[in-house]
Amino acid sequence: MRDELYASPPRQFNDWFDCRASIDSNGTKSEWLRYWNHVGSVLGLTGRAKARFASEAVKSEGWRDAAKHQAVKDGIQANLDNSGVICLTETPLNRRMWDEYAGAGKGICLCLETFGSPFEEMLDVQYLPTHPTVRFDATSDELVEAFLLAKTEPYRWEREWRKVYFKEGGGPKPIPASSLRAVLLGPAIATSDRQDILNCLAKWKPSVFVLEVQDTAAGFVLGPVVHGRIGHDLMPPIKEWVEPEPEGKTDLARLVEQLASIADGDRDLAIDVRLRWILENLDVHLAAQERRGATEAAGVRLALREARNLFVDLVDSSGSARTGYGPIAILLYRLVRNIEVALPPGVEL
């Protein structure tokens, strides 16, 4: 088992129109001249050679030539086709996702952390009324945003995130060894496939949680599967969702906000006392980071251990958080895992 995810070339996508370039070729002669100068630079040309290349490309009204326009479009499409895209979803219990992407429930779903590359660079797909069109002189970033990070409204149900390897080709891409946190077994998975997966995980990923998707009248729900070395010190996956981190706001600040927003009927005073202790200790010790010594480091470690213990108490083995405390559990998880994944091999909290 290798710690890799497959980045698909766009031509393998279900949606035939996905990643298809729609280019507006209208432009003045000077705009086309600037464009061909840029192309010359990309080709490694400099000085007079570049100027001659650009001039030849637009001379004799060539900048209005439909054949040259088509060549530009074909070149842009070739760059898109020579990209790799990792596609993930926010909705692991969406029935349609299982039907269309996991053999009508016969497959599995991998639950991944968002720490480390490539997950930290993933962007959410934008769903638009129509397929976008960009100018012939669009930048690489504009091309990626328009054609590799955009789909039409009918696909909104996928709630997709993508990591794009523009002009780098598809194929296996490395991910951190700790990225895989859970495997969900489909509701229609074959007994032999189920056992093969459990055997493989027991050998290569014994600390990964395994859950099975159960088809009920109320929809898909998760149930735990006994597997590997699951202990109290491990943090189970959680099926709650929290919005991406607002710019400039720390997880500690968000925890304070979430604690204040819990409804009175859901509030558990014993949990709140533990959470306030964690917040107070982390705030004090992290504020003293510049002069941190052994005492402060020990204090941070103690508070993070209690954060991990509180998370385990808030989330059951099926990934469900205590009512009202789902966002808090996620933020506690992120606090702990952000530190854990940065520790040297063999060092634990």
Side-chain angles (χ1 to χ4, degrees):
M1 179 179 285
R2 295 187 295 270
D3 293 306
E4 297 173 335
L5 285 181
Y6 184 75
S8 300
R11 293 285 63 81
Q12 295 181 3
F13 291 168
N14 287 354
D15 179 6
W16 190 89
F17 293 100
D18 198 352
C19 305
R20 287 283 181 177
S22 178
I23 307 298
D24 178 4
S25 299
N26 294 315
T28 66
K29 184 175 183 178
S30 60
E31 287 172 334
W32 274 98
L33 184 62
R34 283 196 299 270
Y35 169 76
W36 286 111
N37 265 293
H38 168 71
V39 172
S41 297
V42 172
L43 294 174
L45 301 178
T46 60
R48 290 183 179 179
K50 183 173 73 172
R52 186 164 51 252
F53 169 83
S55 178
E56 288 289 332
V58 298
K59 76 176 184 178
S60 303
E61 302 296 303
W63 56 280
R64 292 177 175 173
D65 187 339
K68 284 187 170 61
H69 293 174
Q70 187 59 49
V72 170
K73 294 178 183 180
D74 291 344
I76 291 173
Q77 187 63 59
N79 285 334
L80 295 173
D81 293 345
N82 189 37
S83 299
V85 185
I86 293 176
C87 306
L88 303 179
T89 181
E90 301 171 7
T91 58
L93 294 182
N94 182 297
R95 184 183 297 274
R96 190 171 174 185
M97 290 295 295
W98 282 94
D99 286 343
E100 297 199 16
Y101 294 102
K106 296 181 178 135
I108 63 174
C109 173
L110 305 181
C111 299
L112 302 158
E113 283 188 333
T114 56
F115 300 106
S117 181
F119 307 109
E120 291 176 342
E121 300 101 36
M122 298 198 82
L123 297 171
D124 53 335
V125 169
Q126 301 301 303
Y127 299 96
L128 308 175
T130 60
H131 290 281
T133 298
V134 301
R135 283 174 52 85
F136 65 92
D137 55 355
T139 65
S140 295
D141 287 344
E142 290 170 337
L143 292 172
V144 169
E145 183 175 349
F147 301 125
L148 297 176
L149 292 173
K151 300 179 77 168
T152 51
E153 289 283 356
Y155 289 90
R156 182 177 290 276
W157 59 272
E158 292 181 340
R159 289 168 61 180
E160 186 177 348
W161 289 70
R162 288 180 172 180
K163 163 62 180 175
V164 175
Y165 298 86
F166 186 53
K167 297 193 294 186
E168 296 180 32
K173 307 295 181 182
I175 63 173
S178 62
S179 295
L180 182 63
R181 299 299 291 170
V183 173
L184 310 186
L185 304 175
I189 192 170
T191 302
S192 58
D193 291 341
R194 185 181 192 275
Q195 193 57 53
D196 286 345
I197 290 166
L198 290 177
N199 291 342
C200 182
L201 291 172
K203 181 177 181 179
W204 298 107
K205 295 285 183 181
S207 296
V208 167
F209 283 77
V210 182
L211 301 101
E212 54 189 355
V213 179
Q214 300 167 350
D215 195 353
T216 72
F220 283 169
V221 298
L222 293 177
V225 174
V226 176
H227 156 73
R229 300 194 298 269
I230 303 304
H232 186 75
D233 61 330
L234 290 172
M235 302 175 75
I238 182 170
K239 59 189 178 189
E240 302 281 346
W241 168 251
V242 66
E243 290 298 321
E245 180 179 344
E247 189 172 346
K249 188 170 287 188
T250 66
D251 285 340
L252 278 178
R254 296 180 74 190
L255 273 169
V256 172
E257 293 177 356
Q258 291 293 340
L259 179 59
S261 68
I262 297 174
D264 290 340
D266 297 329
R267 193 172 290 282
D268 185 313
L269 294 180
I271 290 176
D272 292 357
V273 168
R274 293 173 66 186
L275 183 57
R276 289 193 183 95
W277 183 89
I278 292 168
L279 291 171
E280 289 171 1
N281 278 271
L282 286 177
D283 188 48
V284 168
H285 293 300
L286 292 178
Q289 190 170 15
E290 290 186 1
R291 55 182 177 78
R292 185 171 61 194
T295 302
E296 287 83 0
V300 170
R301 182 167 293 190
L302 187 62
L304 288 171
R305 284 176 181 166
E306 175 59 7
R308 181 169 57 191
N309 292 337
L310 181 55
F311 175 92
V312 172
D313 291 341
L314 287 175
V315 181
D316 65 26
S317 57
S318 71
S320 298
R322 186 174 301 206
T323 302
Y325 288 85
I328 284 177
I330 290 176
L331 292 168
L332 288 172
Y333 183 96
R334 285 168 42 141
L335 275 173
V336 174
R337 292 295 293 154
N338 265 320
I339 299 298
E340 282 187 332
V341 297
L343 291 174
V347 177
E348 299 180 352
L349 286 178

